[in-house]
Amino acid sequence: MSKTIPEEEKTVRCIVCPTGCEIHVKNVKGELIIDGHTCNRGEEYAKDEFIAPKRILTSTMRVNNGLLPLIPVRTNQPVLKEQLNNILKEIAKKIVNAPIKMGDVLIENVLDLGVNIIASRDLIRV
Amino acid sequence: MKEYKTDVAIIGGGSAGLAAAIIIKKSGLDALILERDRELGGITLQCIHNGFGIHEFKEELTGPEFVQRFINEVKHLEIPYKLDTMVIKIEKNKTIYAVNNKEGLIKVIPKAIILAMGCRERTRGNINMPGFRPAGIYTAGQAQRFVNVEGYLPGNTYVILGSGDIGMIMARRLIWEGCKVKAVVEIQPTVSGLLRNEVQCLEDYDIPLITSYTVTKIHGRHRVKGVTISKVDRQFDRIIGTDRFIECDTLLLSVGLIPENELSHNAGAELSSNGGPIIDNNLETEIEGMFACGNVLQVHDLVDLVVAEAKRAGINAIEYIKNRYGKNLKKKDKIKCLTGENVNYIKPDLINKSDISKEIIFSFRVQRPERRILIQFKDENNNIVFKRKKRYVIPSEMIELNINLGESGASDETKTIKVEVIPQPEVLIDNND
Ligand SMILES: Cc1cc2nc3c(=O)[nH]c(=O)nc-3n(C[C@H](O)[C@H](O)[C@H](O)COP(=O)(O)OP(=O)(O)OC[C@H]3O[C@@H](n4cnc5c(N)ncnc54)[C@H](O)[C@@H]3O)c2cc1C
Ligand code: SF4
């Protein structure tokens, strides 16, 4: 997925370890200038956060005939932050039938992003 | 009354109880899990966010995924469990009384007990907030259960009091469900949960974190209509003229957790300052053969550490049944652990003198954040028996240390061990770990 770099400049608070360094990332004609980090892991993190921040999305999906009315779900890999809302809408549209097993794919290739929505637990039918 | 006999009765079927049951069953002894909820799994079932299991499974799982692995193993090993079964009393001789709607009152007679009842949230009563009692005030954990398990939203527009992790995680969750979160209000000058949650749950969604403020008034007689927040000084007293009104229909309280210990207390186990039962270095309470682990003992940040502690409780219960049960051995002499400068509580509370030359896992929390500190263990004569430097301590991160005190000067003559967290003397400032 090719993406243009969004902003010129950004301060990222590193969450990789509890030190919480403030890292400045600057885009100077396509080249990234990074400073404020104390270690390489922080540099990598700040770069990813600047270019394409990604998150695992966790939510719940409605269920028919289950022990519970909902099943917790997640994306099987991190997705671009800007896609989170669109994916949430897809999850909200869907109702699945119990029984469900942990890891079952409940939405395949959501919005053609190459990402699946999977079940986070077992849920028996009642 | 129906009666059950078992080697180890486990009270609570959350992560701690399940992990303990598995290790006991694998040793060849019997376990029986008593759980008051409709299913096994405990609090982790409602924590649908990811971030669990990094130590235990070396991958980042959601709460339900983490505990499902333990539930699957409990079922695979055919460990008996009773659901919808609430333990109401433990007697000094360890006889347990519980109720469920199929059998009524039942009696369980175990050789050993593992307490694994988890913790509960502090509520408005615990933090002393005046006002009417309109609808629309919940603890963050209650809201988490409504939204993630029961499937309904407690309101539309929220203010969250307290910047604990559960509150911040709920803020993001509510935004994802289409609600508005006006602010997270924190009485301390700094956030109380993890930085990771501050960044990924609040900053990502531009939710204001208002520090050194607290809620001083709740508006609305039948339903919350808004809250007044006010700035506080260092003594947490309200500063006149700083009041701000925020309109909302729901107030969530994320103001901390306390171990759930009426049962243990009524059984005769004394509690220590953190609300958990007093235990020795084998996680054994003052009632012989009764052990405690997980959040009922001390509130943990990481479920991985809960599981590790529960396995130790299981192993110690097995040891008790094999070597000490029914033998009426003399009580062991103990060294008392005390809290000093900037230490909120310390576990264990007691060390068996006979174990002083073994590795012991100590865990504690600090009272306030501090950089460049020295952790010191001192005996009653102020001899330093252990020290370690640390770059950074905060109350929201439990500190765990594995120490052999015998190697550094403590002996079975030692009477007390005091733990303190002090600023590093200048000469030590290089080479922090
Ligand atoms: C909201 C929240 C978010 C968290 N987020 C994270 C995270 O992101 N990552 C992480 O690693 N850790 C996290 N934790 C911490 C971790 O999940 C917990 O510390 C851990 O799950 C506690 O396990 P436990 O078995 O001690 O307690 P619980 O899971 O609470 O289990 C206790 C069980 O005992 C039962 N019980 C209580 N009293 C009785 C009785 N009288 N009779 C019968 N049964 C009884 C309860 O019903 C419950 O099932 C979080 C904790 C909370 C509360
Ligand atoms: S940059 Fe390195 S030291 Fe600083 S917070 Fe990130 S991981 Fe920690």
Side-chain angles (χ1 to χ4, degrees):
Chain A
M1 220 177 297
S2 79
K3 254 187 61 81
T4 47
I5 293 172
E7 294 153 85
E8 311 253 275
E9 207 172 329
K10 193 173 171 181
T11 303
V12 174
R13 268 212 281 171
C14 182
I15 60 160
V16 177
C17 88
T19 311
C21 298
E22 291 212 347
I23 308 177
H24 306 280
V25 190
K26 206 170 175 180
N27 176 12
V28 182
K29 299 191 185 107
E31 207 178 313
L32 294 189
I33 315 253
I34 303 177
D35 70 275
H37 57 285
T38 317
C39 71
N40 290 341
R41 290 191 305 163
E43 184 173 1
E44 279 302 304
Y45 173 78
K47 201 162 142 192
D48 289 345
E49 275 295 288
F50 188 76
I51 300 172
K54 285 185 169 180
R55 303 282 185 266
I56 293 269
L57 177 66
T58 59
S59 187
T60 51
M61 196 180 278
R62 279 175 294 161
V63 176
N64 277 328
N65 309 319
L67 173 69
L68 304 172
L70 299 175
I71 178 112
V73 300
R74 69 171 173 100
T75 54
N76 67 338
Q77 49 180 297
V79 292
L80 286 175
K81 223 166 92 178
E82 65 208 34
Q83 292 290 355
L84 295 180
N85 258 321
N86 298 332
I87 300 173
L88 281 165
K89 283 185 194 136
E90 294 302 305
I91 294 173
K93 279 188 217 158
K94 178 112 183 171
I95 303 180
V96 283
N97 293 316
I100 301 164
K101 281 267 174 219
M102 173 166 68
D104 281 359
V105 175
L106 303 180
I107 304 180
E108 205 174 334
N109 190 15
V110 63
L111 296 168
D112 284 328
L113 293 167
V115 171
N116 297 333
I117 306 298
I118 60 173
S120 270
R121 55 166 286 172
D122 293 359
L123 194 62
I124 54 169
R125 192 188 166 90
V126 288
Chain B
M1 193 189 328
K2 228 175 162 174
E3 240 184 68
Y4 295 87
K5 286 208 163 79
T6 182
D7 291 327
V8 188
I10 295 172
I11 308 179
S15 305
L18 298 174
I22 290 167
I23 212 156
I24 288 161
K25 180 75 183 192
K26 282 184 171 167
S27 81
L29 296 180
D30 297 328
L32 172 64
I33 304 169
L34 304 168
E35 169 55 56
R36 69 177 167 195
D37 212 336
R38 67 195 144 188
E39 49 179 354
L40 295 176
I43 194 79
T44 317
L45 286 176
Q46 69 183 55
C47 303
I48 66 163
H49 56 280
N50 61 315
F52 295 80
I54 298 157
H55 303 278
E56 178 75 17
F57 295 119
K58 310 280 179 268
E59 42 179 321
E60 209 177 299
L61 303 170
T62 63
E65 285 174 315
F66 180 89
V67 77
Q68 184 77 57
R69 296 185 178 201
F70 289 89
I71 296 171
N72 290 351
E73 187 153 11
V74 162
K75 291 187 176 164
H76 175 75
L77 292 170
E78 297 176 353
I79 300 172
Y81 57 89
K82 287 187 170 294
L83 300 177
D84 293 310
T85 301
M86 168 104 174
V87 172
I88 51 170
K89 189 171 181 202
I90 307 169
E91 289 190 335
K92 251 203 162 86
N93 64 5
K94 300 199 289 284
T95 300
I96 296 169
Y97 294 90
V99 283
N100 66 42
N101 51 11
K102 286 195 208 102
E103 303 167 299
L105 187 65
I106 62 167
K107 192 168 169 178
V108 179
I109 303 172
K111 293 179 182 160
I113 293 178
I114 292 183
L115 303 171
M117 289 93 77
C119 61
R120 63 156 183 254
E121 288 172 287
R122 285 181 208 276
T123 59
R124 183 152 72 137
N126 296 118
I127 56 164
N128 210 349
M129 198 189 291
F132 290 112
R133 304 210 158 252
I137 306 172
Y138 303 92
T139 64
Q142 278 171 333
Q144 190 179 45
R145 184 166 173 126
F146 291 153
V147 179
N148 291 346
V149 182
E150 313 290 347
Y152 63 92
L153 291 169
N156 296 312
T157 313
Y158 295 76
V159 167
I160 299 175
L161 175 63
S163 58
D165 289 312
I166 314 170
M168 295 199 284
I169 287 165
M170 273 317 286
R172 176 181 64 184
R173 180 76 183 116
L174 290 164
I175 298 273
W176 282 353
E177 287 297 320
C179 303
K180 282 205 181 77
V181 180
K182 292 272 189 80
V184 171
V185 180
E186 169 59 55
I187 194 167
Q188 302 280 349
T190 52
V191 67
S192 79
L194 300 174
L195 176 69
R196 169 193 165 113
N197 288 329
E198 185 190 344
V199 170
Q200 295 198 343
C201 300
L202 304 186
E203 281 176 14
D204 270 9
Y205 301 93
D206 298 321
I207 300 170
L209 169 67
I210 308 177
T211 54
S212 294
Y213 268 78
T214 191
V215 170
T216 46
K217 188 167 180 196
I218 299 171
H219 301 261
R221 195 175 272 264
H222 301 294
R223 175 82 201 191
V224 173
K225 292 207 166 97
V227 294
T228 296
I229 65 168
S230 317
K231 198 172 169 67
V232 295
D233 60 23
R234 286 191 168 194
Q235 280 71 48
F236 303 127
D237 289 327
R238 169 175 165 232
I239 302 174
I240 308 286
T242 58
D243 292 2
R244 270 162 72 179
F245 176 75
I246 306 178
E247 200 179 310
C248 63
D249 61 23
T250 312
L251 174 66
L252 298 189
L253 306 174
S254 178
V255 289
L257 303 165
I258 26 178
E260 167 123 27
N261 271 302
E262 279 70 28
L263 269 182
S264 344
H265 188 58
N266 292 339
E270 258 186 76
L271 306 184
S272 63
S273 64
N274 77 325
I278 288 183
I279 48 135
D280 68 11
N281 55 301
N282 294 322
L283 301 164
E284 190 168 359
T285 65
E286 296 201 286
I287 295 179
E288 193 190 283
M290 184 161 97
F291 300 81
C293 59
N295 281 354
V296 78
L297 177 63
Q298 55 182 338
V299 175
H300 293 68
D301 324 312
L302 288 177
V303 71
D304 306 75
L305 299 187
V306 167
V307 165
E309 193 171 85
K311 288 180 181 167
R312 281 200 288 136
I315 290 167
N316 292 332
I318 297 165
E319 185 277 333
Y320 166 76
I321 290 176
K322 293 204 168 139
N323 301 327
R324 292 192 280 138
Y325 174 71
K327 291 207 178 127
N328 233 335
L329 300 177
K330 192 172 143 271
K331 270 212 163 183
K332 290 182 182 168
D333 285 337
K334 308 208 169 166
I335 299 168
K336 249 192 167 145
C337 298
L338 307 170
T339 57
E341 180 66 21
N342 200 10
V343 173
N344 205 351
Y345 74 88
I346 172 85
K347 291 284 165 201
D349 307 86
L350 302 165
I351 302 168
N352 292 314
K353 290 197 164 174
S354 51
D355 293 337
I356 192 71
S357 294
K358 291 185 187 158
E359 294 245 307
I360 293 174
I361 296 177
F362 290 90
S363 41
F364 61 95
R365 282 177 197 268
V366 295
Q367 290 164 327
R368 48 174 195 278
E370 207 167 328
R371 280 179 192 275
R372 297 199 179 282
I373 55 90
L374 187 64
I375 299 167
Q376 267 185 184
F377 285 44
K378 283 182 183 163
D379 69 10
E380 67 279 8
N381 299 319
N382 276 330
N383 296 320
I384 296 170
V385 291
F386 173 83
K387 66 177 176 221
R388 178 166 302 168
K389 288 175 283 176
K390 213 167 162 7
R391 218 182 251 186
Y392 193 59
V393 287
I394 43 173
S396 57
E397 278 179 35
M398 189 175 96
I399 301 167
E400 224 182 60
L401 297 170
N402 205 340
I403 311 175
N404 182 334
L405 291 176
E407 278 178 358
S408 50
S411 72
D412 53 10
E413 306 280 307
T414 305
K415 293 195 180 70
T416 62
I417 297 280
K418 187 187 241 174
V419 184
E420 56 185 30
V421 173
I422 55 170
Q424 283 176 18
E426 290 296 321
V427 280
L428 280 174
I429 282 180
D430 285 333
N431 302 325
N432 280 294
D433 61 20

